[in-house]
């Protein structure tokens, strides 16, 4: 099974630029075309939060128009820029999304079991998993011995970039790690939020962050460095699941670059 992960699209209303200058819509359209052109085609896409920038219904309508061009089924989770009710109302035919409460769900009918977590705290940049959300996860993990892919917007680990580490999964990360470590069936934890490709060993498994389809977080590891962004190349993560090898992850840049050509 091949899984495309696209993240942090920050879609605005049609024609509106992010921060007055970043065409997040154009970036997402190019990312969708990139995913659709992959051969072999991904079986599914995971869209790991900050779907839109302001949580507004018209932004979700614009997002839906663009994502509907994807050739494969896709699964959404919210990030800190999202709002639960407009998201679930606009994507009402996405029946895996609960009709009320947190946007957490399980997808059972695939070779790899998927569990989505909702780390949104309305009005805040950081994320949290309260007791209710973590109890739900613990119960879901106990239901099956199948290898499981966990995905959530806010990383539960430090990435070494001060400003992001101050606003990651600020609540619930320790218990989440205990649950994941104790169960031992989580193949990977996929995250967004930092707008950079990052990998770390975490809670006895691996965790990773996908880049944004648009603007990237600046790679600045100086203590106390202020939050900033760069226009490094946009990308997606591509996860190949094979039972014999586990999950193999590639970073795939969106854009046109020279090649392919022979190594000669
Ligand atoms: Fe983001
Ligand atoms: Fe975020």
């Amino acid at each position: 099974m091949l899984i495309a992960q696209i993240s942090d699209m920050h879609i605005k209303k049609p024609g509106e630029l992010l921060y007055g200058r970043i065409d997040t819509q154009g970036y997402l359209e190019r990312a969708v075309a990139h995913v659709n052109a992959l051969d072999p085609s991904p079986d599914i896409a995971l869209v790991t939060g900050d779907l839109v920038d302001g949580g507004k219904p018209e932004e979700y309508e614009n997002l839906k128009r663009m994502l509907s061009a994807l050739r494969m089924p896709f699964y959404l989770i919210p990030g800190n820029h999202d709002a639960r009710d407009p998201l679930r109302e606009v994507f009402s035919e996405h029946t895996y999304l609960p009709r009320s409460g947190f946007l957490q769900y399980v997808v059972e009918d695939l070779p790899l079991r998927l569990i989505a977590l909702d780390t949104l705290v309305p009005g805040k940049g950081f994320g949290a998993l309260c007791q209710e959300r973590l109890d739900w996860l613990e119960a879901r993990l106990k239901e099956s011995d199948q290898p499981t892919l966990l995905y959530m917007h806010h990383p539960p680990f430090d990435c070494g970039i001060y400003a992001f580490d101050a606003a990651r999964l600020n609540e619930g990360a320790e218990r989440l790690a205990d649950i994941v470590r104790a169960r031992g069936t989580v193949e990977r934890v996929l995250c967004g939020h930092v707008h950079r490709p990052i990998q770390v060993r975490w809670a006895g498994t691996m965790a990773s962050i996908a880049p944004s389809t648009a603007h990237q977080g600046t790679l600045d590891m100086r203590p106390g460095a202020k939050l900033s962004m760069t226009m490094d190349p946009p990308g997606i993560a591509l996860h190949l699941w094979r039972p014999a090898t586990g999950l193999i992850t590639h970073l795939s840049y969106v854009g046109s670059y020279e090649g392919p050509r022979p190594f000669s």
Side-chain angles (χ1 to χ4, degrees):
M1 182 169 66
L2 192 58
I3 301 168
Q5 182 187 1
I6 62 178
S7 200
D8 291 87
M9 302 93 75
H10 290 262
I11 294 302
K12 307 280 281 185
K13 289 183 287 187
E16 195 180 345
L17 301 178
L18 180 68
Y19 310 130
R21 55 201 171 78
I22 302 174
D23 177 18
T24 52
Q25 178 173 331
Y27 276 109
L28 178 55
E29 285 167 351
R30 289 188 290 278
V32 166
H34 180 83
V35 171
N36 282 343
L38 292 169
D39 182 12
S41 180
D43 299 287
I44 60 166
L46 302 180
V47 193
T48 48
D50 287 355
L51 311 175
V52 301
D53 196 59
K56 301 187 187 87
E58 56 268 43
E59 295 175 335
Y60 287 110
E61 295 286 359
N62 195 23
L63 172 75
K64 187 179 181 182
R65 191 182 53 72
M66 286 178 269
L67 291 182
S68 65
L70 280 170
R71 290 165 55 195
M72 67 291 302
F74 58 94
Y75 297 93
L76 306 167
I77 53 167
N80 48 297
H81 284 261
D82 291 296
R84 292 185 185 105
D85 288 338
L87 197 171
R88 73 175 120 227
E89 278 156 28
V90 171
F91 287 91
S92 58
E93 74 280 18
H94 282 229
T95 52
Y96 60 85
L97 291 172
R99 297 312 303 153
S100 62
F102 299 116
L103 292 172
Q104 307 199 139
Y105 53 87
V106 184
V107 180
E108 301 273 14
D109 51 349
L110 298 168
L112 196 56
R113 192 173 189 237
L114 309 181
I115 300 184
L117 292 175
D118 174 345
T119 57
L120 170 61
V121 182
K124 302 292 183 192
F126 64 82
L129 287 173
C130 55
Q131 188 175 340
E132 181 185 344
R133 281 173 274 187
L134 288 168
D135 287 349
W136 177 91
L137 171 67
E138 192 167 35
R140 297 293 78 73
L141 282 175
K142 283 181 179 163
E143 290 168 347
S144 171
D145 292 329
Q146 202 187 346
T148 299
L149 192 56
L150 208 57
Y151 56 109
M152 55 199 286
H153 180 70
H154 292 88
F157 51 86
D158 278 350
C159 69
I161 302 174
Y162 171 85
F164 283 106
D165 292 342
R168 59 170 176 92
L169 187 76
N170 285 14
E171 291 171 32
E174 281 184 23
R175 187 173 163 219
L176 173 68
D178 289 344
I179 292 169
V180 167
R181 189 181 286 108
R183 194 67 187 94
T185 51
V186 174
E187 175 73 18
R188 181 78 63 83
V189 181
L190 303 180
C191 307
H193 189 58
V194 182
H195 297 220
R196 290 205 69 78
I198 296 166
Q199 300 84 35
V200 64
R201 178 178 173 177
W202 180 83
T205 182
M206 278 182 64
S208 59
I209 302 176
S212 169
T213 55
H215 51 307
Q216 310 302 314
T218 308
L219 179 54
D220 184 346
M221 294 187 175
R222 293 175 299 168
K226 286 208 164 54
L227 183 66
S228 70
M229 61 180 190
T230 74
M231 298 317 291
D232 286 357
I236 63 154
L238 200 57
H239 308 287
L240 174 62
W241 166 251
R242 287 177 175 163
T245 52
L247 198 70
I248 304 162
T249 292
H250 292 261
L251 169 65
S252 182
Y253 294 108
V254 177
S256 59
Y257 307 96
E258 196 195 328
R261 54 188 287 174
F263 280 100
S264 60

